[in-house]
Amino acid sequence: MPMVTLRYKDLEKLIGTDKNTIIDKVPMIGADVERIDVDHADVEFFPDRPDLFSIEGVARAMRGFLEIETGLPRYDVKSSKVSITIDKSIRPIRPHLACAVVRDLQLDTNSIEPLMSLQEHLHWGIGRDRKKVSIGIHDLSKIKSPFLYKAADPDIEFVPLDFDYPLSMRKILEIHPKGFKFAHILDGMKRYPLIVDAADNVLSFPPIINSALTMVTDTTRDLFIEVTGTDASVAIALNIVVTALAERSGKVESVKIFSDGGVRKTPNLSPTIRSLQVKDVNSLLGLDLNAEEIARNLRKMRFGATIHEEGVDVEVPAYRADILHACDLIEDVAIGYGYDRFKPEFPEIATIGKTHCIEDKFELLRDVMIGLGFSEVMTFTLTNEKVHFDDMRRPRSNVTRVKHPISIDQTIVRSSILPSLMEILSLNKHHGLPQKIFEVGEVLLNGKNAQRLACISMHSTANFAEIKSIAESVLRELGTEFTIEKADDTAFLEGRRARILVYGSNIGVFGEIHPDVILNFGLDQPVVAFELDIS
Amino acid sequence: MARINQNDLTADEKRILLALTKVESTSPEKLASLAEINVETAMRSAFLLEQKGLSKITEKTTETYSLTPEGILYAESGLPEQRIIEFMGSKETCLSDLKEVFSDQEAKIALGWLRKKGWASIEKRKDEVVITPLSITRDPQKEVLNLLHMKNTDLKRFDPEVIKALLNRNLIVATEKSDRVISLTDEGRRLAARGIEIIEEITQLTPDLIRSGKWKEKHLREYDVNAPVLEVFGAKKHPYRRLLDQMRKIFLEMGFEEIRGDIVQTSFWNFDALFQPQDHPAREMQDTFYLDSIGDIPMELAQKVKAMHERGGDIGSTGWGGKWNLELARTEVLRTHTTAITIKHLADNPNPPVKAFCIGRAYRRETIDSTHLPEFTQLEGVVMDEAVSFKNLLGCLAEFYKRMGFEKLRFRPGYFPYTEPSVEPEVYVEGLGWMELGGAGIFRHEVTAPLGIRHPVLAWGLGVGRLAMLHLGLKDLRDLYRPDMDWLWRCPICQW
């Protein structure tokens, strides 16, 4: 989750109250305070609230929550003369674009850094790591409108940020750290996205890197912001950035975007209107609020709210990305009301508790095994072919393999419990004997669940007769008719292994573990084992 | 110390006491043979007598000697000085002549000892060293070598200087041996003097003694109730199981039905049915274990879910926009949460009321460390009924945590993609402060509407591992699944 650094000095200035009040209350709008330092706090916000990924956004929300300033924040958007054309060539690649100009900023290193971190959080939170949305912020004074957004030849060169000599776009993808990191987004494309100005100077190569020419420094006063992407969420990302800058008294101006012979202006900061019914709020929350109380809580959460007969008309700020449905507004009513003010009430619903038959069976088998002197273990189900099959001298079969394992130790889900138990013995060889353990649990056979009981006994005189007694004892408890015959499971010693048949089908195996298997697990004591299918 | 009475002694202790009166002090072996019991019993009794102040056990260290290979050689063939003097007879002999018969080294050793033992005088004449034999005296060094060679270790009659010389000549080596010596104390002697009567004792009841009633005539040995005995550990449930059982019991007591399901799920049930957008980061390869297989999904329902994702269906939601891909929904995963099970249960049981819970493994592509594992146990509960609300959700959580033994509970806003409102319950743990122990919320309409569920669904989940670490005092989550046997044996069942 995005971590936002809240510098107290800045925070107190932006909110207008002391830091203790703020830090104390900030978790109650939905945040985890990770670290409280001398001059700042690091706070994590939830991925559904990208508008809180900046200190300006947090300040805006907290002013409302603390009722210092409530209701819809309104931002003026003047028209600028800046324009940009979306060339036809870019449409199959990365067709969506939203732009804005923000003027009269007083930037310094203290405000540039949070701006960059907001940009990165948005790349993560809305942009799906720049795939869906990427944001370029430029020093407007270095470039000349009108701009052109097009698909360009990969051999076109420009000086990218962090470099002092020109590179072709192709080369940037190979050697620039950002190019290398995000090249996969452009996989298979013959032409790459490029934004140039009236003099054919490159602004940026979205979604990879900006040109060094437009780098934002502490002398930058006016910004040109372009957001490119593969869907309409470019607009919300732009809105979040420009409103955050507006909170720093930047003056937002719109940009004309020409495409397909049409023209539109961005950003659009006008709120969307939703209607909320009083009864819907109260039935979902279990409260008894009137329209006025609902409106007040919505205003605390920075919505515009107008009361009408059955409910409230809500103006949703243009920077809110998370309001899909009325329930999202109702949650905000609850947050505004205060989670700490709810009186929990257990629902009086008459139902009868019921166990699951498989769990019942597990429980009975655990009782039997404990009675027989075996201690329960609960082991990992993720394992690998070497331990599971090779070390057990078993052929690789019924494998459920994961596609992208994290490590060579966990490549498959087990199809038998015995190898897990051998591993436990192997970890405990420094402890006294006998060691007797069992597990009831799940295995996967070609992706299908099956339930198993397995037990294992290790001591200097462990033998076939011992484990046969155990196996028969368990089978007796299960009350099924069974027959025992010689088995061919190579994990066990030939002549000292048997399988269990119930109505002609094989449901289990027991015997003396093969000495090679014992050695494979770093052990040297006789081991006998038993595994039973209880599905 | 209170005065010891003979009734305080076992029969064996009495035997030892009596045996000790016959000797001043003795070794364990001799004591055992005197008392006519085995050595182990004799020593155990001697120690018990010592505890009662009746006997004294001291350690005596003695040195024993044995021949080195060189010592064996000289024992058999004579010391060099002896062989040289015998070779010379009574003649004066030059060293150069000797060196023709004896090695340089032997000659050198011999010369020194001939002079020390006074067997010869040695003079330097011109360029020659001349050896003149004197009288040969008795040689204790050789006698010691001979005795040791015959395995006779009793060297008391020899001058310690002789032994020292042989040690220096590296012909013998010393080994330290410590022996216990047992003797009576004055108190022991006094008690023995008062007379000791040995009564036959029984240490173990036998069927024969019981049947015949003879046990009544015998003296049953009393146990020292504080004496240590062999440690045994009963087989038992895994401590983690007991915690899970406790939670299971709480849910059952609250009238919930237990449900289970498959580990392998289609993305449809794991994600799509929960309104998780198809490009959501949690669905990526980095976070989820995908399999190579694809599974079947209910097509009619899939169409409704598709409409919900793309346009928000007809419930006034915006949906996620974009195109919903059926093939992506069919890819199979190891379930990343047990919510895949609860949502399927709700789809199969859309009529109220439903109260269900599920305890099961979930899988996430997390790198293993002390607090993260790629597989872990999750516990989940859902309540669906007409007119249940957020307040009731908090009520369920409060009841559950109270029954788990957490008295102080608070609620904070949370975020989960498929619930709205969402809440993070936190419990107060003495010494640790507020701990987040799970997540909860009311299923979004986008989740419930396509399944034909018309009433609110309260849902909460708990990562049980963290709670287990807290309860069991574990520092590493892996220890639950790869347990140390000694910990399993010793972990008491009364933890909570």
Side-chain angles (χ1 to χ4, degrees), chain A residues 27-33 46-48 124 128 132 231 274 282-287 322-332 334-335 339-340 342-360 362-363 366-367 369-371 373-382 400-406 410 413-414 423-425 427-428 430-440 442-444 447-449 451, chain B residues 234-238 240-241 244-245 248 251-252 254-264 275 277 279-281 284-285 288-292 315-320 332 334-335 353-355 357 359 361 363-368 373-375 377 383-385 387-396 398-399 411-415 419-424 426 436 442 444-446 456 458 478 480-489:
Chain A
M28 295 313 286
I29 63 164
D32 289 322
V33 177
F46 298 126
D48 66 327
W124 175 86
R128 304 283 185 253
K132 204 164 146 187
D231 79 9
R274 279 188 167 269
N282 287 328
S283 71
L284 191 63
L285 298 182
L287 294 177
D322 61 319
I323 309 297
L324 304 182
H325 185 267
C327 65
D328 297 297
L329 293 174
I330 298 174
E331 182 184 65
D332 273 49
I335 294 171
Y339 275 27
D340 45 350
F342 278 85
K343 303 228 174 337
E345 197 174 282
F346 190 77
E348 299 290 336
I349 307 166
T351 50
I352 292 164
K354 210 163 26 174
T355 57
H356 194 284
C357 59
I358 291 179
E359 295 293 340
D360 289 342
F362 280 179
E363 212 171 66
R366 273 184 217 119
D367 283 349
M369 292 314 299
I370 288 163
F374 288 76
S375 290
E376 186 187 23
V377 293
M378 301 164 79
T379 64
F380 288 124
T381 58
L382 287 169
T400 307
R401 190 175 289 108
V402 301
K403 244 165 133 181
H404 298 88
I406 314 172
Q410 293 124 354
V413 183
R414 69 180 179 194
E423 282 194 291
I424 301 295
L425 291 185
L427 288 168
N428 283 286
H430 54 290
H431 288 308
L433 297 178
Q435 289 184 14
K436 296 181 177 191
I437 52 172
F438 80 96
E439 179 171 9
V440 282
E442 251 153 347
V443 299
L444 288 187
K448 294 278 167 287
N449 275 40
Q451 289 83 40
Chain B
K236 55 198 169 188
K237 284 184 185 177
H238 193 292
Y240 194 23
R241 172 73 57 204
L244 295 176
D245 278 352
R248 184 168 176 256
F251 273 107
L252 292 169
M254 297 194 304
F256 283 66
E257 178 185 355
E258 181 172 47
I259 57 173
R260 314 178 89 248
D262 293 331
I263 288 172
V264 174
F275 196 56
D279 66 349
H280 194 278
E284 283 175 18
M285 300 292 186
T288 299
F289 285 116
Y290 281 87
L291 306 178
D292 265 323
I315 58 156
S317 168
T318 60
W320 295 117
E332 290 191 312
L334 298 183
R335 66 183 181 211
V354 172
K355 279 164 72 181
F357 76 99
I359 299 175
R361 287 280 164 99
Y363 298 78
R364 291 196 195 155
R365 222 175 149 278
E366 301 241 32
T367 311
I368 295 192
L373 294 176
E375 56 180 304
T377 308
V383 174
M384 187 258 283
D385 198 13
V388 289
S389 68
F390 188 61
K391 188 171 66 180
N392 297 136
L393 172 65
L394 303 186
C396 289
E399 185 64 26
F411 300 109
R412 284 200 300 123
Y415 167 70
T419 57
E420 193 82 11
S422 303
V423 54
E424 283 182 1
E426 289 184 320
E436 187 192 320
I442 300 179
R444 298 186 67 96
H445 286 270
E446 288 92 335
L458 317 178
R478 281 168 288 197
L480 286 178
Y481 300 93
R482 300 165 67 89
D484 181 83
M485 211 72 86
D486 197 51
W487 175 71
L488 276 189
W489 286 332

Side-chain angles (χ1 to χ4, degrees), chain A residues 468-487:
Chain A
K468 187 175 184 221
S469 301
I470 299 292
E472 286 186 345
S473 160
V474 172
L475 288 161
R476 262 198 312 276
E477 297 293 345
L478 290 174
T480 40
E481 296 272 322
F482 61 92
T483 51
I484 286 171
E485 63 177 38
K486 282 186 181 174

Side-chain angles (χ1 to χ4, degrees), chain B residues 416-474:
Chain B
F416 308 99
Y418 38 90
T419 57
E420 193 82 11
S422 303
V423 54
E424 283 182 1
E426 289 184 320
V427 295
Y428 191 79
V429 181
E430 215 52 63
L432 291 173
W434 289 102
M435 270 185 75
E436 187 192 320
L437 272 188
I442 300 179
F443 276 155
R444 298 186 67 96
H445 286 270
E446 288 92 335
V447 175
T448 52
L451 303 177
I453 298 163
R454 293 178 318 279
H455 305 292
V457 178
L458 317 178
W460 70 98
L462 185 69
V464 203
R466 200 165 173 191
L467 190 63
M469 285 172 80
L470 185 70
H471 264 305
L472 301 171
L474 293 178

Side-chain angles (χ1 to χ4, degrees), chain A residues 92-120:
Chain A
I93 302 178
R94 201 172 171 85
H96 289 270
L97 175 70
C99 302
V101 164
V102 182
R103 293 192 192 271
D104 297 343
L105 288 162
Q106 304 285 327
L107 293 177
D108 55 36
T109 38
N110 278 339
S111 50
I112 291 176
E113 192 196 291
L115 181 61
M116 296 303 138
S117 98
L118 168 62
Q119 195 183 344
E120 284 315 313

Side-chain angles (χ1 to χ4, degrees), chain B residues 46-88:
Chain B
F47 276 115
L48 290 169
L49 287 176
E50 190 184 32
Q51 281 174 18
K52 291 170 181 146
L54 302 176
S55 79
K56 207 171 124 203
I57 299 168
T58 49
E59 299 247 322
K60 193 172 137 199
T61 312
T62 49
E63 282 197 329
T64 57
Y65 303 95
S66 56
L67 295 176
T68 64
E70 201 183 353
I72 294 171
L73 181 74
Y74 296 160
E76 284 166 0
S77 59
L79 290 154
E81 62 271 24
Q82 188 185 351
R83 284 166 50 222
I84 284 177
I85 203 89
E86 278 167 8
F87 169 79
M88 286 176 7

